[in-house]
Amino acid sequence: MKILLKSVQIFDENSKFNNSKKDILIEDGKIKKIDSSIKVKTDTEIALDGLSVSPGWFDSSVSFGEPGFEERETIANGLDTAAKSGFTAVALNPNTQPILDNSGAIASVKAKSAGHPVTLYPIGALTRNGKNKDLAELLDMQDAGAIGFYDYKSSISNANLLKIALQYAQNFDGLVQSYPHDLSISGSGNVNENRNSTYLGLKGIPNLAEELNVIRDLYLLEYTGGKLHIPTISTQKSVQLIKEAKKKGLDVSCSVAIHNLFLTDEELKEFDSNSKVLPPLRTEKDRKALIKGLKEGTIDMVTSDHNPVDIEHKKVEFENAMFGTIGLESAFGALNTLFSTEDSVKFLTAGKERFKIKKHSIEEGAMADFSLFLPTEEYKFRKEHIFSASKNSIFLNKKLKGKPIGVIANAQILIQK
């Protein structure tokens, strides 16, 4: 199969073609030629004004529902959504039914994703059934294809269990994830604890609930060694704590959800349950600290934290609604509104190294693993931009800049119609 991209802007800081406009010829999944003008007979030719390409984007926290919650999303449609949103690789969270806590479950979701342009990388549960009591089959799951271990949105309350996980995973270079959320502090909170929560009469989740766990987990990492990833931090203090830990030489990484970079708890005044996310939207002070932490490298990667929730669990009273928002479709547009296109691409590919996913540069002879996008297009994000089965987007009616078009990966092409 031959694909020709005409006059595309290349964003790849590791390529000699970075910031240049070129034709790119792809043949049988590899970059055959990059030149100012290529004239050749092909199966597919793409020529769009303003079209840009970069190395394929990766999302470190995606939920699809299947198996068990197919009414929210299936693996097949979820991967199509990821492709149309510009992602060539996604890490699938284990919050399914049954939970992905054994090698058979990991192999099953990988098999269901086989043959798709987007590569699915499963994350195995850290504990059996996600119950926070006994470690799951970590080594077996890694051998089956798991790229890390995480009880999705559930903190490990037993400090000794996390200590043992960090020690054990060192035997096979496993990546342990620990979600920072102390339930004894947050209780039944729904939103950020601040003047808005008081004004609106909603139960609050204080920053302390996150920061106590971050402090504890960093102390455990310092004691045990090993590798720790802290997903979706949301407070200024968390950024400071992780920055200090990195200065000490601890092998810790962290991510931030894109909506926590873009929005604050001012959104809550509309009582829109799509704004009910975990961690909650915080204050402008926290938002600015997260942006600074990302720019300076304390925060290693961004994630859409894509979590489809069906209408029966979202369009209810705010306090009864499930946490979560979809985010794949809006991820690039939101980031590219806040940052330069160069930085947006960097943030969307940075997580690959941490999760041991090969990053292909845009050079002749390399594998074609591209994200395709229009970086200057401005639009209001609406339902017609949503490809997910569930429509619970926190970005509905927000002005974004930059539109994803699709991907070329795994010797295939999938773009928006």
Side-chain angles (χ1 to χ4, degrees), residues 2-11 15 17 20-27 30-38 40 42 44-46 52-54 362-364 366 368 370 372 408:
K2 290 184 180 180
I3 302 169
L4 180 60
L5 303 178
K6 295 293 292 182
S7 191
V8 293
Q9 185 78 22
I10 296 172
F11 289 90
S15 169
F17 299 106
S20 65
K21 190 171 282 190
K22 300 288 183 181
D23 289 2
I24 302 177
L25 177 63
I26 300 157
E27 189 172 336
K30 287 191 174 182
I31 301 173
K32 184 77 172 178
K33 188 177 183 181
I34 301 176
D35 208 338
S36 298
S37 180
I38 301 173
V40 66
T42 61
T44 303
E45 182 175 309
I46 301 176
S52 298
V53 300
S54 76
I362 301 177
E363 302 282 0
E364 292 180 351
F370 295 166
L372 309 177
I408 298 173

Side-chain angles (χ1 to χ4, degrees), residues 152 188-191 205 273 276-280 307 309 313-314 321-325 392:
Y152 179 71
S188 57
N190 291 285
V191 299
I205 301 173
S273 60
K276 185 177 179 180
V277 291
L278 199 64
N307 187 10
V309 179
H313 291 92
K314 205 60 170 172
M322 284 183 61
F323 290 102
T325 176
N392 57 306

Side-chain angles (χ1 to χ4, degrees), residues 223-235:
Y223 177 81
T224 62
K227 298 194 302 184
L228 176 68
H229 180 67
I230 303 177
T232 59
I233 64 170
S234 67
T235 77

Side-chain angles (χ1 to χ4, degrees), residues 107-406:
S108 176
V109 294
K110 281 186 66 69
K112 288 180 178 179
S113 69
H116 199 278
V118 178
T119 304
L120 183 149
Y121 294 94
I123 296 173
L126 185 64
T127 66
R128 290 181 185 174
N129 291 315
K131 296 295 186 184
N132 198 11
K133 290 184 178 179
D134 303 295
L135 287 184
E137 303 169 2
L138 306 188
L139 176 57
D140 287 349
M141 286 192 288
Q142 182 154 306
D143 288 343
I147 59 170
F149 311 103
Y150 175 33
D151 284 359
Y152 179 71
K153 301 293 185 186
S154 177
S155 64
I156 306 301
S157 59
N158 184 335
N160 190 56
L161 187 64
L162 181 59
K163 182 198 78 172
I164 293 170
L166 286 165
Q167 291 172 324
Y168 174 57
Q170 292 177 57
N171 294 304
F172 48 90
D173 197 30
L175 180 61
V176 172
Q177 299 192 50
S178 178
Y179 178 65
H181 186 81
D182 191 321
L183 275 173
S184 67
I185 298 293
S186 66
S188 57
N190 291 285
V191 299
N192 181 48
E193 184 182 87
N194 191 35
R195 68 169 187 269
N196 282 332
S197 60
T198 303
Y199 176 73
L200 298 170
L202 296 171
K203 294 180 181 178
I205 301 173
N207 290 17
L208 183 65
E210 174 174 308
E211 294 153 6
L212 277 179
N213 260 51
V214 170
I215 292 169
R216 184 204 69 172
D217 293 354
L218 291 174
Y219 270 122
L220 286 171
L221 180 65
E222 188 171 9
Y223 177 81
T224 62
K227 298 194 302 184
L228 176 68
H229 180 67
I230 303 177
T232 59
I233 64 170
S234 67
T235 77
Q236 180 185 40
K237 183 67 173 176
S238 291
V239 176
Q240 294 171 349
L241 291 166
I242 293 168
K243 184 176 183 177
E244 291 165 6
K246 287 186 171 186
K247 285 181 178 177
K248 289 181 180 179
L250 299 186
D251 194 350
V252 59
S253 59
C254 64
S255 66
V256 61
I258 293 169
H259 45 264
N260 284 100
L261 294 169
F262 197 92
L263 303 166
T264 70
D265 61 357
E266 291 295 313
E267 295 294 312
L268 301 174
K269 292 178 180 178
E270 300 298 323
F271 278 96
D272 183 355
S273 60
N274 288 334
S275 299
K276 185 177 179 180
V277 291
L278 199 64
L281 298 177
R282 301 288 188 184
T283 65
E284 180 67 6
K285 179 181 176 182
D286 290 309
R287 189 187 76 86
K288 287 181 177 178
L290 293 169
I291 288 175
K292 182 181 178 183
L294 185 60
K295 285 181 175 179
E296 69 183 14
T298 298
I299 299 175
D300 300 88
M301 66 197 78
V302 298
T303 172
S304 71
D305 207 19
H306 182 82
N307 187 10
V309 179
D310 55 283
I311 194 169
E312 287 80 4
H313 291 92
K314 205 60 170 172
K315 291 295 182 182
V316 294
E317 294 86 353
F318 193 96
E319 291 188 345
N320 296 326
M322 284 183 61
F323 290 102
T325 176
I326 57 172
L328 285 169
E329 298 96 320
S330 53
F332 176 69
L335 271 183
N336 197 55
T337 302
L338 295 173
F339 305 99
S340 69
T341 301
E342 290 84 358
D343 281 346
S344 297
V345 167
K346 182 174 70 173
F347 299 149
L348 287 168
T349 56
K352 286 186 172 182
E353 183 178 357
R354 184 59 166 174
F355 285 89
K356 296 182 183 176
I357 296 170
K358 185 172 178 59
K359 184 176 179 180
H360 300 279
S361 195
I362 301 177
E363 302 282 0
E364 292 180 351
M367 295 297 297
D369 187 78
F370 295 166
S371 299
L372 309 177
F373 53 96
L374 302 171
T376 60
E377 184 161 333
E378 297 182 2
Y379 59 102
K380 186 173 283 190
F381 190 77
R382 300 191 186 277
K383 282 191 176 180
E384 57 260 33
H385 299 116
I386 295 176
F387 307 108
S388 301
S390 297
K391 310 302 179 185
N392 57 306
S393 174
I394 200 171
F395 283 101
L396 278 171
N397 299 316
K398 298 293 186 290
K399 291 181 179 179
L400 305 181
K401 179 184 177 183
K403 185 178 180 183
I405 295 298

